[in-house]
Amino acid sequence: MIAAIEAGQQASDHASVAPGYATHDVFNQAGALADYNAYTDDTPLVEAVKVFGADWAGETLRRAGANVGSEKVQYLARQANRHLPELKTHDRFGNRVDVVEFHPAYHELMGLIYGDETHSFAWTHQDKAGAQVARGALSYMWNQGENGICCPMGMTFASIPALRHDAQLHDEWAPHILKPVYDNRPIYAKQKRGATVGMGMTEKQGGSDLRATITTARPASNRRGSGAPYLITGHKWFFSVPMSDVFLTLAQTEKGLSCFFASGWLPDGTRNRLKIQRLKDKCGNKSNASSEVEFHDLYATMLGDEGRGIRTIIEMAHVTRLDFAIGSSGLMRQALSQAIHHTTNRRAFQRSLVDLPIMRNVVADLAVESEAMMWMSMRLASALDREHADRTEALISRICTPVAKYWACKRAPQFVVEALECHGGNGFIADHLMERLYREAPLNGIWEGTGNVICLDVLRSMQREPETVDAFLAEIRKARGADARLDAFTDEIERRLANLGEFEPVARRVVEMMAFALQGSLLVRHSTPAVADAFCATRLDGDWGRAFGTMPRGLDTQSIVDRARIPAG
Ligand SMILES: Cc1cc2nc3c(=O)[nH]c(=O)nc-3n(C[C@H](O)[C@H](O)[C@H](O)COP(=O)(O)OP(=O)(O)OC[C@H]3O[C@@H](n4cnc5c(N)ncnc54)[C@H](O)[C@@H]3O)c2cc1C
């Protein structure tokens, strides 16, 4: 059915046309990259999943890969981004309802991503080594499917570590949150077949400095502290997924900023005491609703120690940051797949575009960048897997997760722009997937810690816990001796990290170097010689310009592109 609807738009090569449109001969159009498997057709991803011990999850990953690569998901994503969510404050009888109405395509996509256990797999399989890596791969793939649904999925995933601050609340809610079911009914969470989780922290006066929060909470009974009921009043300037079944938020009590857990609807079926003021008219991420919301004595339960709200919610933020590194890596992978597909199937000057030497350099450079991001993300998913049992892994997770978040989010916009240009004018047209990727690309860099905030976080971690520097350098040196350029680069970083006191003005530079070193070490150990060589020659040895496509001569760009190619493309 979908194929029939869209067949006309996807004609490739040469299509004959009806009489009367004699000039409208369609040829040399690349057609759509569709009906592939985003897992099994992605060679570097399959290798990373194996290296980090998650190939036991192959069946789940293959199923998700087939979903993400399907023409159906692409169709649904287009629909969900064309027919945008609408705020309905009142029903037709005048009752205040505060609901958001979505196109059915959005709900169908949510059903698919939840059905693939993208929000839950790591926690429901946490007794198995590699569970976070498998979930990381699920998120990596779904960020190639539709980014708007990755926001609710990611917050639901990340809520579990924060919920652990209150064992009772965790045991009561986690099993429900982890069900592989999406249920869109606007009713009390526990009456549903599954639940989504949101997070409302950012206020008008500033999101980076959460201590400036002015929303207040007062006890609703004689009880105080974690697990006790409170009433919250205030305003949140950004509150994505306002249809969340439950959410975490921050408010001031007598003892300072504290974390709270609230449900969107109450057991009696009424809306909890929140009013959605309006939906944000966003630059991208259109299928997902983000709102401004007021709380008027919102019923909530304190989560974690009173006055230690940032400490509680940071558990969620840490995992969300990993998911943004993974998400931006996935976004880049999709842009790359599209660029390779297009440049392979479009011809100019009697050759496929990708075979033109300068274009080959561009596409190969993007492929190196994409693979480096993927390995870094999966390495940190692996660190999260092992951080409770292994102190070094905990230090690596602590220090390198923000490094990966910073660098993947920082590179995504440039990457997408270059991949878009590979498509020529077609990439700039709104019914092409590239347009959505372009609008989405800057977002992960803003959410959950902007670039500066993230770099300062890395700095603070290294100052507070000098062991993190040792753990980081030891990780890089696992590849010592394999490539002289990597060794020299590592020595230079070690020199710079020895002087943390003067770090702040140059924090971005140092964090960027840390990302390069980690990526270089991973590629040298785990990727092909062609990819590792190109990475070391450019990112580490500096034989590279300021745009993509500026790699030096003599690299095996053919094999780099072939390795990244989706066979169906
Ligand atoms: C589409 C979208 C959806 C969102 N959804 C949610 C949501 O669901 N829940 C939620 O809580 N929030 C949400 N946010 C808000 C987001 O988390 C914030 O925008 C972000 O934390 C930054 O806060 P801010 O906008 O107040 O910017 P500011 O904090 O004012 O920062 C502005 C700039 O100043 C820089 N800066 C800040 N402090 C420092 C410093 N100490 N040193 C150097 N530079 C600094 C920042 O890096 C940034 O570049 C969403 C945002 C967007 C765009």
Side-chain angles (χ1 to χ4, degrees):
M1 168 67 180
I2 293 165
I5 295 169
E6 307 235 312
Q9 295 167 24
Q10 294 172 2
S12 62
D13 294 325
H14 196 291
S16 61
V17 290
Y21 293 92
T23 61
H24 192 72
D25 242 4
V26 180
F27 65 99
N28 198 26
Q29 291 282 354
L33 171 62
D35 286 334
Y36 64 97
N37 191 304
Y39 178 60
T40 54
D41 287 340
D42 185 340
T43 302
L45 178 64
V46 171
E47 289 175 10
V49 163
K50 188 158 193 275
V51 163
F52 296 124
D55 44 349
W56 51 266
E59 198 182 319
T60 303
L61 296 174
R62 277 192 293 278
R63 187 187 60 200
N67 277 334
V68 168
S70 69
E71 195 181 333
K72 177 181 167 182
V73 161
Q74 290 186 23
Y75 173 77
L76 293 173
R78 275 196 297 281
Q79 295 299 310
N81 283 281
R82 191 168 297 153
H83 307 287
L84 304 186
E86 281 181 16
L87 173 62
K88 199 170 167 189
T89 53
H90 297 79
D91 68 11
R92 69 182 195 276
F93 307 109
N95 299 305
R96 184 99 199 189
V97 285
D98 293 283
V99 294
V100 181
E101 291 184 339
F102 293 87
H103 188 270
Y106 173 84
H107 293 308
E108 198 170 342
L109 285 167
M110 286 289 285
L112 288 170
I113 197 171
Y114 272 68
D116 281 343
E117 304 173 74
T118 318
H119 65 300
S120 61
F121 195 83
W123 311 122
T124 52
H125 294 78
Q126 60 189 344
D127 52 326
K128 285 182 122 165
Q132 289 288 353
V133 176
R135 196 220 71 97
L138 289 170
S139 180
Y140 181 75
M141 288 190 280
W142 267 106
N143 273 280
Q144 299 168 53
E146 164 50 20
N147 301 103
I149 55 169
C150 290
C151 169
M153 176 284 294
M155 290 196 288
T156 306
F157 160 65
S159 66
I160 299 299
L163 277 177
R164 287 182 180 143
H165 278 265
D166 188 305
Q168 204 181 332
L169 212 57
H170 173 271
D171 293 350
E172 184 184 342
W173 283 95
H176 195 51
I177 289 169
L178 295 176
K179 286 179 186 157
V181 184
Y182 168 67
D183 182 340
N184 69 24
R185 289 172 297 162
I187 56 176
Y188 181 54
K190 288 224 183 115
Q191 292 157 6
K192 298 174 68 160
R193 289 173 288 121
T196 52
V197 186
M199 171 170 59
M201 302 190 294
T202 307
E203 299 189 357
K204 289 191 279 291
Q205 65 278 7
S208 301
D209 185 4
L210 291 173
R211 289 164 307 177
T213 299
I214 55 174
T215 295
T216 56
R218 61 191 171 90
S221 73
N222 292 330
R223 286 177 59 209
R224 299 281 190 282
S226 198
Y230 282 76
L231 298 171
I232 298 182
T233 297
H235 184 270
K236 298 293 169 181
W237 182 235
F238 278 99
F239 183 64
S240 288
V241 201
M243 295 298 282
S244 297
D245 296 304
V246 292
F247 59 91
L248 303 190
T249 191
L250 291 173
Q252 301 282 359
T253 68
E254 287 168 357
K255 291 190 179 170
L257 195 58
S258 306
C259 183
F260 295 89
F261 176 87
S263 63
W265 283 262
L266 300 172
D268 66 4
T270 58
R271 197 61 157 126
N272 200 345
R273 294 168 177 180
L274 65 82
K275 296 207 178 341
I276 304 172
Q277 289 189 321
R278 58 174 168 170
L279 297 189
K280 297 285 196 188
D281 185 3
K282 295 179 286 185
C283 160
N285 195 258
K286 297 267 189 186
S287 68
N288 178 34
S290 300
S291 70
E292 293 164 27
V293 66
E294 271 184 307
F295 301 149
H296 297 278
D297 277 345
L298 178 93
Y299 289 111
T301 305
M302 187 176 283
L303 172 61
D305 294 339
E306 186 171 359
R308 307 287 306 272
I310 292 184
R311 189 173 150 267
T312 305
I313 215 156
I314 205 77
E315 302 270 2
M316 185 170 179
H318 180 66
V319 179
T320 312
R321 286 175 181 179
L322 170 66
D323 211 34
F324 286 165
I326 293 170
S328 288
S329 304
L331 184 115
M332 286 184 261
R333 171 71 230 198
Q334 177 61 286
L336 173 69
S337 301
Q338 297 293 326
I340 296 178
H341 172 75
H342 184 88
T343 55
T344 300
N345 293 290
R346 175 90 162 179
R347 295 174 70 80
F349 305 97
Q350 288 85 49
R351 293 160 88 179
S352 287
L353 290 174
V354 75
D355 292 332
L356 300 168
I358 185 167
M359 180 61 95
R360 172 86 60 74
N361 196 327
V362 171
V363 176
D365 207 356
L366 292 173
V368 170
E369 187 83 358
S370 163
E371 185 168 342
M373 293 296 175
M374 186 278 296
W375 279 104
M376 181 166 67
S377 300
M378 292 305 149
R379 172 66 185 89
L380 291 165
S382 171
L384 186 63
D385 241 336
R386 295 182 278 161
E387 68 176 13
H388 294 295
D390 184 330
R391 169 88 179 136
T392 305
E393 289 298 310
L395 294 170
I396 287 172
S397 175
R398 175 78 194 89
I399 193 82
C400 293
T401 299
V403 169
K405 197 270 185 192
Y406 171 74
W407 191 233
C409 298
K410 194 53 71 190
R411 289 300 269 172
Q414 286 108 306
F415 189 104
V416 169
V417 166
E418 199 62 64
L420 188 152
E421 192 179 319
C422 291
H423 293 74
N426 283 357
F428 203 64
I429 300 306
D431 59 3
H432 198 289
L433 172 60
M434 287 308 304
E435 183 256 5
R436 283 206 310 279
L437 299 183
Y438 174 75
R439 289 175 172 278
E440 181 77 21
L443 180 54
N444 283 345
I446 298 168
W447 265 337
E448 213 56 82
T450 49
N452 292 349
V453 170
I454 291 287
C455 290
L456 293 175
D457 183 52
V458 174
L459 166 64
R460 267 192 297 273
S461 298
M462 293 195 290
Q463 284 172 331
R464 276 189 206 141
E465 284 182 278
E467 289 170 277
T468 52
V469 177
D470 301 333
F472 168 74
L473 290 169
E475 172 69 17
I476 309 305
R477 293 214 163 102
K478 284 180 183 166
R480 191 149 191 91
D483 190 295
R485 296 163 296 189
L486 175 62
D487 292 345
F489 195 83
T490 312
D491 292 344
E492 173 60 19
I493 291 192
E494 184 171 16
R495 196 181 63 70
R496 294 194 188 208
L497 293 182
N499 194 3
L500 288 176
E502 295 171 16
F503 183 175
E504 183 160 345
V506 293
R508 279 181 176 229
R509 181 75 188 274
V510 174
V511 170
E512 184 178 314
M513 289 179 72
M514 290 173 75
F516 278 159
L518 178 58
Q519 291 178 328
S521 174
L522 288 163
L523 290 176
V524 164
R525 280 181 278 157
H526 303 302
S527 186
T528 60
V531 173
D533 183 33
F535 188 91
C536 292
T538 53
R539 280 77 172 163
L540 304 188
D541 207 28
D543 192 354
W544 201 32
R546 284 168 180 75
F548 285 107
T550 50
M551 299 198 298
R553 281 194 200 88
L555 299 172
D556 187 357
T557 51
Q558 176 76 57
S559 92
I560 292 170
V561 173
D562 286 345
R563 175 173 166 78
R565 186 185 297 286
I566 300 292

